[in-house]
Amino acid sequence: MNHSQAAEEFTHDVERTTWHDKTLWFVREKRDKAVFQIPEWEALREAGSRIKAHALSNLDEYLLEFEQNAIRNGVKVHWAADGKEHNDIVLQILQETGATQMVKSKSMLTEECHLNDFLIEKGVDVVDTDLGERVVQLAKEPPSHIVMPCIHKKKEEIGALFHEHLGTEKGASDPKYLAEAARQHLREKFMTRRAALTGVNFAVAETGGFVVCTNEGNADMGAHLADVHIASMGIEKIIPKARHLGVFLRLLARSATGQPITTYSSHFHRPRPGQTMHIIIVDNGRTTQLGRPDFRNSLKCIRCGACMNTCPVYRRSGGHSYHNAVAGPIGSILAPNLDMRKNADLPFASTLCGSCSNVCPVKIDIHDQLYKWRQVLAAEGYVDNSKKQGMKLMASVLANPKLFRFSGKAGRTVMRLAPFSVSNPLNPWYKQREMPEPPKESFREWYVKRGKS
Ligand code: SF4
């Protein structure tokens, strides 16, 4: 299903759509309140954007500096060109350790690489330990949001899921009760797993250390109890200096959930005695994106999710409609880079209102890039012929004042005399809308008359 078909399925459930919309808007409002308390917010955004731009322009040097420092700290560093290589490296580490079970904290990169499916196929029991991630894992679904993975699920649905898999009381939907049940369930997993995988929010070239941000402490529990800690990071996670963390940690939590700081911002530098620590640095299409001048800025993303919470299309179509690991506006500019054919629909899933660019903490020009992707996709032949012909026709009408006036008049007449010709189920634009009353005259006609009088 393409985005519009999947979105149509989502919106059939009117109650869920309305509630999803309101919930995400509530998070957006929390973000606004947190941001307005910081007079230097715009300066912070500017600093974050510039640091990232600098890091991306010198990525080769900073990645090597990071590698050298991490090795000096006693960490084993691996490089993966794509998702397959990343998954193979994880499997190899697990096999060398003799681990057949692993706990994993939230990592959108591993979603992008489809690590869970790969490992499960190879006989490894992978347990996601972020509460939302565990919910979608039990439901056999992908996350629908990068910060709130099960935001599309109601507490009653989670109660039913936990009753089936964790043996909680039938019909229970009290969030406290369910969270406690998940806590006990996950504790047993933490205590018995020898291997843990975490994501990386920021990797500091200067120190070879990295920071992982969670609100539940699950990354820390996993990493501290396991014999082997694997950290997976995309190449764009690099920042040059430790002092730059002060900028990004302030931007991230406020933009994501409206918190002043993420509950756990854990700094990892070296393995504890007796532990092995691995870092896998993954490209998976990022250097291609870096080489596209119009789209390289998308690599500044710190995965806060603010562009999703504010997007009127995301809020009313749900994350799964984007059929990509990262949904929403940022996902729609990252996904075509990975596969233009498969993801050609995504840059069109936007009103281009620009709200995403307004809230982005690192000032990515998201809506401009969505617009530019449309042009690239059309030029590369990935846009429906009917849409292309329709646009050509529209362009010729708009370029010819006489034709434009005639078309307007003809359209108004048809809408008045035969409204069903446009207001019918075959016309997708009118499926969920009321027919507007056709005006008696165009603005131009009114303006000319007014001028004469
Ligand atoms: S594009 Fe900007 S707003 Fe969207 S997730 Fe990334 S950093 Fe956040």
Side-chain angles (χ1 to χ4, degrees):
M1 278 198 283
N2 64 27
H3 177 270
S4 55
Q5 289 162 334
E8 189 174 359
E9 221 174 81
F10 185 79
T11 52
H12 273 152
D13 187 340
V14 176
E15 197 198 330
R16 187 189 302 273
T17 310
T18 309
W19 159 82
H20 190 263
D21 183 15
K22 279 189 180 159
T23 310
L24 288 158
W25 188 250
F26 171 72
V27 184
R28 156 78 212 254
E29 285 178 327
K30 270 178 76 189
R31 172 254 173 219
D32 289 349
K33 280 180 200 150
V35 161
F36 295 151
Q37 285 169 13
I38 306 233
E40 70 275 25
W41 181 253
E42 285 307 313
L44 266 183
R45 283 179 82 206
E46 186 60 32
S49 184
R50 286 189 187 199
I51 295 167
K52 279 281 181 180
H54 171 79
L56 290 172
S57 300
N58 299 279
L59 207 49
D60 51 343
E61 287 172 23
Y62 285 127
L63 280 169
L64 291 179
E65 186 186 344
F66 175 76
E67 181 190 33
Q68 276 170 12
N69 287 329
I71 291 172
R72 204 170 294 138
N73 293 341
V75 179
K76 296 187 181 173
V77 180
H78 310 258
W79 297 83
D82 54 27
K84 187 186 174 308
E85 265 188 36
H86 167 265
N87 295 349
D88 287 340
I89 293 167
V90 175
L91 182 63
Q92 198 188 338
I93 297 169
L94 294 176
Q95 284 172 342
E96 282 167 11
T97 321
T100 54
Q101 298 173 319
M102 184 175 82
V103 282
K104 181 163 87 64
S105 70
K106 189 137 60 63
S107 148
M108 291 318 295
L109 175 62
T110 58
E111 293 293 333
E112 184 186 313
C113 300
H114 305 291
L115 178 69
N116 281 16
D117 292 344
F118 171 81
L119 288 181
I120 290 165
E121 204 177 284
K122 300 285 177 195
V124 179
D125 178 23
V126 190
V127 174
D128 279 307
T129 57
D130 172 274
L131 179 53
E133 288 260 326
R134 186 64 180 145
V135 168
V136 287
Q137 190 182 28
L138 290 174
K140 297 190 170 38
E141 290 175 9
S144 68
H145 189 286
I146 56 178
V147 176
M148 299 166 282
C150 69
I151 193 68
H152 60 289
K153 286 219 173 295
K154 296 180 180 172
K155 59 184 192 304
E156 289 76 19
E157 290 170 312
I158 296 170
L161 205 60
F162 279 14
H163 171 65
E164 185 189 342
H165 294 276
L166 311 186
T168 52
E169 280 171 37
K170 196 169 186 202
S173 62
D174 174 40
K176 261 194 184 166
Y177 169 74
L178 296 176
E180 182 57 26
R183 197 163 165 258
Q184 297 305 331
H185 159 71
L186 288 171
R187 184 150 295 243
E188 186 269 327
K189 309 287 178 198
F190 284 127
M191 301 301 281
T192 51
R193 267 50 181 179
R194 292 181 51 213
L197 187 144
T198 67
V200 169
N201 288 88
F202 305 103
V204 183
E206 178 186 38
T207 63
F210 58 93
V211 175
V212 184
C213 303
T214 72
N215 274 326
E216 298 166 25
N218 56 312
D220 309 71
M221 277 285 275
H224 293 321
L225 289 169
D227 298 334
V228 182
H229 176 186
I230 306 168
S232 296
M233 60 173 265
I235 54 171
E236 81 286 11
K237 296 290 175 188
I238 281 283
I239 57 169
K241 306 273 181 209
R243 68 168 186 270
H244 296 149
L245 283 169
V247 174
F248 291 107
L249 291 175
R250 293 182 81 197
L251 286 171
L252 177 63
R254 285 179 173 86
S255 301
T257 54
Q259 292 166 259
I261 187 93
T262 315
T263 312
Y264 298 89
S265 300
S266 303
H267 300 240
F268 294 92
H269 286 98
R270 54 186 61 82
R272 62 160 204 276
Q275 189 190 43
T276 323
M277 189 182 275
H278 298 261
I279 295 173
I280 311 176
I281 303 173
V282 186
D283 181 342
N284 204 33
R286 285 159 177 77
T287 44
T288 312
Q289 188 85 325
L290 192 65
R292 299 181 198 271
D294 284 340
F295 305 113
R296 73 197 304 257
N297 269 354
S298 59
L299 295 173
K300 290 180 180 177
C301 177
I302 56 172
R303 302 287 192 270
C304 70
C307 56
M308 300 175 187
N309 305 341
T310 200
C311 175
V313 176
Y314 175 89
R315 282 189 278 120
R316 296 194 70 81
S317 63
H320 289 159
S321 62
Y322 291 80
H323 56 78
N324 185 49
V326 180
I330 180 64
S332 300
I333 55 179
L334 293 174
N337 175 57
L338 291 173
D339 188 335
M340 278 201 215
R341 186 179 299 282
K342 190 168 151 249
N343 300 311
D345 54 325
L346 296 183
F348 294 89
S350 168
T351 60
L352 301 184
C353 66
S355 185
C356 46
S357 307
N358 285 344
V359 297
C360 179
V362 282
K363 292 187 143 184
I364 301 173
D365 50 342
I366 308 171
H367 72 294
D368 286 330
Q369 291 189 34
L370 286 165
Y371 177 58
K372 282 175 189 159
W373 263 122
R374 294 180 187 187
Q375 293 162 36
V376 173
L377 291 164
E380 298 277 335
Y382 292 114
V383 170
D384 258 9
N385 208 29
S386 57
K387 188 175 268 180
K388 256 184 165 172
Q389 296 311 329
M391 285 297 139
K392 267 190 193 157
L393 187 68
M394 185 67 100
S396 57
V397 172
L398 292 174
N400 184 328
K402 268 191 191 159
L403 197 54
F404 177 74
R405 280 202 293 276
F406 171 76
S407 309
K409 207 168 252 176
R412 288 194 298 280
T413 310
V414 170
M415 279 172 82
R416 211 166 26 245
L417 299 179
F420 51 88
S421 57
V422 279
S423 175
N424 66 65
L426 294 175
N427 181 357
W429 186 252
Y430 277 99
K431 264 188 195 170
Q432 312 242 343
R433 291 176 176 83
E434 306 223 325
M435 261 286 275
E437 185 84 14
K440 289 193 180 61
E441 58 190 0
S442 69
F443 170 76
R444 192 173 193 284
E445 286 163 346
W446 171 84
Y447 190 74
V448 170
K449 248 198 309 191
R450 183 179 162 274
K452 276 184 187 156
S453 71

